Amino acid sequence: MSQSAFFVTTPIYYISGNPHMGHAYTSIAADVLARYHRTRGTSYFLTGTDEHGQKVAQAAAAAGMAPKAWTDSLVPRWQELCARYDVRYDDFIRTTEPRHIDQVVEVFERLKATGDVYLGTYEGWYCTNDETFWLEAKLIDGRCPNPECGREVQWLSEQNWFFALSKYRDRLLSYFRENPNFVRPERSYNEMVATLEGGLDDLCISRTNLDWGVPLPGGGVMYVWLDALLNYITALDYTHDGEKFRTLWPANVQLVGKEIARFHTIIWPAVLFALGLPAPEMVFAHGWMTLEGEKMSKSRGNVVDPFEMVDRFGADTLRYFLLREAPFGSDFSFGEEKVRLRRNGDLGNDLGNLARRSLAMLVKYRDGVVPAPAPSATGAAFATLPARVHEAMTTLGFRDALEAIWELVAALNRLIDEKRPWDLHKHGAREELDAVLYDVCEGLRWLAIMLWPFMPTKATELYGTLGFVGEPLVAWNDALRWGGLAAGTHVAPAELPLFPRMDAEPAATAAIAAS
């Protein structure tokens, strides 16, 4: 494994039911990052499922199944979600796997040996839904203060193991201030700093009233959140000093929803510090996908079925929409009409029509053979585009990256409208026509390469129409030089548009999706 490999993770998804559109959103973002960094060298992408805890046990009991049988029945659906959205992970870890469980116990023993884990008695208000203890002062009208929950809490008194979280408060504050990009976006950074400034309590990390979890020596099970967080290093074979761990950790980017930022930016780095390990370079807490102003969640019953959506619109359309619609990190509203408008506008009219008419003109005027390149104002104008996209991607500015790429789409469409190749052909302006035809075809090559992380299937299809075989997974520094499309290349326009128009009527939509 190369030392330069880019390591990205999704949150480990809590598997108390089927995935919804919000889970697809996070996985797509991670996949785009991983694909982009493959064009720059190597990357490693980890995802998986969190399968322990009280909610899972309760859901399994309601289904009349043992917890492990219940999670076994659900995991294929989560893996299928990745397959349907072209999310290409390198490892999918389950917290019920022996490779994870054995290492969780070893980490527990190491922390106990250093004194960072100790035995004590805990009394407090416990929220089963969040699997979290809350101080009474933080309850709202006697209920869970999490705005996503608000459920009743119950008083628990147990002898449990504790992690000395308060011991790391000052170190965490210093780390935040020395590394302002550790938590992004800025909103989440400020929230976590305020939490640290308010002080930390030690964390109860075991449960005696539950048997569905990682068994701990002497009885009880590991607190589900600590069990889950450790997946990021157990997947790398941490306790065995595995090669993957030595070459990949610390993670470059860990993606989480903003509701679980506290676990990943306070508890997680404190545990890593206790183990003598570095924190991730960046934890990015993205915003919520909303419906009618409310966060999409299973508990609210307002989820969108990602499988139904991908059947209707296709993976590439949804990948594009989710990352173009709003800055990554902000909340945004999901709606089928919004998706359809992006599909017909940006993808159909702008990109798809550009590809269709460019290749059709090359076939009509030059028998589908790419002419020789000439000095190009378009090439000069967009020489810095790859660097601009790279800058956006380093800050997870997916929308900014796509908007920059779409400047090239607009410029190529404008070139055709202004130069009017049909008139150049009519008047015998052969050299000028060749220059226009070359530029639009070379521009399409650039677009196929730069859009591959975002829409891998359609970008590969476009790349193939230009005479290339395989995916446009190429090194940008070498490939994105204007003039790289060889003269004499034979193009093969696709039989159908890249993005056929989708009507609002359900029947027409279904017909397009099936085509």
Side-chain angles (χ1 to χ4, degrees):
M1 187 72 61
S2 169
Q3 287 284 348
S4 63
F6 181 90
F7 182 32
V8 58
T9 71
T10 68
I12 192 163
Y13 297 118
Y14 199 61
I15 191 168
S16 58
N18 285 313
H20 59 66
M21 201 70 211
H23 300 118
Y25 176 48
T26 314
S27 295
I28 288 166
D31 183 68
V32 169
L33 274 180
R35 287 177 182 270
Y36 173 69
H37 283 277
R38 285 182 201 130
T39 70
R40 300 180 59 80
T42 57
S43 66
Y44 198 84
F45 172 15
L46 173 67
T47 189
T49 46
D50 176 9
E51 302 177 25
H52 290 132
Q54 195 163 1
K55 280 195 293 183
V56 170
Q58 290 174 342
M65 300 173 69
K68 182 59 163 60
W70 169 248
T71 59
D72 285 346
S73 72
L74 288 174
V75 165
R77 194 68 167 161
W78 290 77
Q79 293 172 327
E80 183 186 358
L81 178 76
C82 292
R84 295 293 300 279
Y85 280 88
D86 287 328
V87 171
R88 188 183 297 174
Y89 52 77
D90 294 285
D91 191 5
F92 187 104
I93 189 168
R94 300 177 57 183
T95 57
T96 52
E97 292 181 71
R99 62 165 172 157
H100 173 75
I101 292 171
D102 293 345
Q103 292 185 79
V104 167
V105 174
E106 173 63 24
V107 167
F108 173 80
E109 294 289 4
R110 292 185 184 186
L111 293 175
K112 193 167 63 167
T114 62
D116 287 291
V117 162
Y118 63 90
L119 194 61
T121 299
Y122 191 90
E123 292 186 331
W125 295 103
Y126 184 68
C127 174
T128 299
N129 182 69
D130 282 0
E131 310 219 24
T132 301
F133 280 101
W134 295 102
L135 295 175
E136 186 166 7
K138 294 187 177 181
L139 300 181
I140 299 176
D141 297 327
R143 292 175 174 267
C144 176
N146 180 357
E148 289 299 294
C149 180
R151 291 172 170 80
E152 291 185 0
V153 294
Q154 59 181 314
W155 182 262
L156 290 182
S157 178
E158 300 177 346
Q159 186 176 51
N160 286 320
W161 292 100
F162 286 77
F163 171 66
L165 182 62
S166 60
K167 169 182 173 182
Y168 291 93
R169 180 254 191 186
D170 291 344
R171 181 172 175 183
L172 285 166
L173 261 178
S174 296
Y175 188 79
F176 269 71
R177 289 167 177 158
E178 293 165 6
N179 299 276
N181 290 322
F182 169 51
V183 180
R184 297 284 88 194
E186 187 176 5
R187 174 203 68 243
S188 291
Y189 175 90
N190 292 335
E191 288 176 1
M192 295 307 110
V193 168
T195 297
L196 289 168
E197 289 175 339
L200 296 177
D201 295 314
D202 287 353
L203 179 70
C204 179
I205 63 165
S206 66
R207 297 291 181 266
T208 57
N209 65 336
L210 178 69
D211 60 5
W212 179 236
V214 176
L216 293 176
V221 298
M222 176 73 78
Y223 171 44
V224 65
W225 262 109
L226 185 54
D227 166 14
L229 288 167
L230 290 172
N231 92 91
Y232 303 122
I233 57 176
T234 62
L236 305 181
D237 206 19
Y238 158 64
T239 63
H240 302 106
D241 194 26
E243 180 188 358
K244 282 195 294 187
F245 181 79
R246 293 196 305 272
T247 57
L248 289 174
W249 193 260
N252 297 90
V253 173
Q254 297 206 255
L255 296 180
V256 299
K258 64 181 182 180
E259 72 279 8
I260 56 174
R262 180 175 67 93
F263 298 96
H264 285 82
T265 62
I266 294 178
I267 297 173
W268 178 223
V271 170
L272 290 168
F273 293 160
L275 292 169
L277 300 175
E281 291 181 7
M282 177 191 292
V283 177
F284 197 104
H286 66 71
W288 291 336
M289 190 183 303
T290 64
L291 282 175
E292 299 180 351
E294 288 194 338
K295 178 183 180 288
M296 196 180 297
S297 70
K298 288 176 286 189
S299 61
R300 294 180 183 271
N302 64 345
V303 298
V304 171
D305 184 348
F307 298 98
E308 180 183 343
M309 289 298 100
V310 79
D311 285 342
R312 184 171 301 172
F313 293 105
D316 283 349
T317 296
L318 289 161
R319 287 171 66 107
Y320 175 81
F321 170 81
L322 292 172
L323 297 182
R324 177 72 188 267
E325 188 66 9
F328 195 63
S330 301
D331 295 350
F332 71 99
S333 176
F334 181 90
E336 292 184 36
E337 180 62 12
K338 291 182 178 182
V339 178
R340 189 182 68 84
L341 290 174
R342 285 282 186 191
R343 159 80 175 228
N344 290 342
D346 299 5
L347 300 179
N349 293 341
D350 297 347
L351 177 62
N353 192 46
L354 170 66
R356 181 194 58 78
R357 60 179 181 163
S358 297
L359 298 176
M361 288 187 296
L362 187 66
V363 170
K364 182 176 181 179
Y365 301 139
R366 294 294 181 266
D367 295 323
V369 178
V370 175
S376 170
T378 303
F382 286 91
T384 62
L385 178 58
R388 291 174 56 203
V389 173
H390 174 66
E391 182 178 358
M393 295 296 282
T394 58
T395 57
L396 279 66
F398 300 117
R399 187 190 203 187
D400 292 340
L402 286 168
E403 287 179 347
I405 293 169
W406 242 251
E407 291 176 17
L408 177 57
V409 174
L412 295 172
N413 276 314
R414 189 165 55 248
L415 178 66
I416 293 173
D417 293 340
E418 292 176 353
K419 294 294 186 179
R420 301 173 63 85
W422 46 93
D423 284 344
L424 296 176
H425 174 73
K426 180 179 177 180
H427 295 110
R430 187 175 182 86
E431 289 187 5
E432 192 172 356
L433 175 58
D434 280 350
V436 173
L437 292 176
Y438 184 86
D439 272 0
V440 293
C441 290
E442 172 67 342
L444 289 176
R445 184 182 73 89
W446 274 47
L447 290 172
I449 292 169
M450 288 189 291
L451 288 174
W452 177 75
F454 296 93
M455 49 182 75
T457 298
K458 294 296 184 180
T460 299
E461 184 179 328
L462 177 59
Y463 202 55
T465 65
L466 296 169
F468 296 96
V469 176
E471 296 180 306
L473 172 51
V474 293
W476 285 23
N477 288 343
D478 297 326
L480 293 182
R481 300 176 186 274
W482 204 266
L485 182 60
T489 297
H490 287 259
V491 303
E495 294 182 6
L496 294 174
L498 277 176
F499 294 96
R501 182 173 182 82
M502 300 189 74
D503 297 326
E505 293 297 325
T509 299
I512 290 293
S515 65

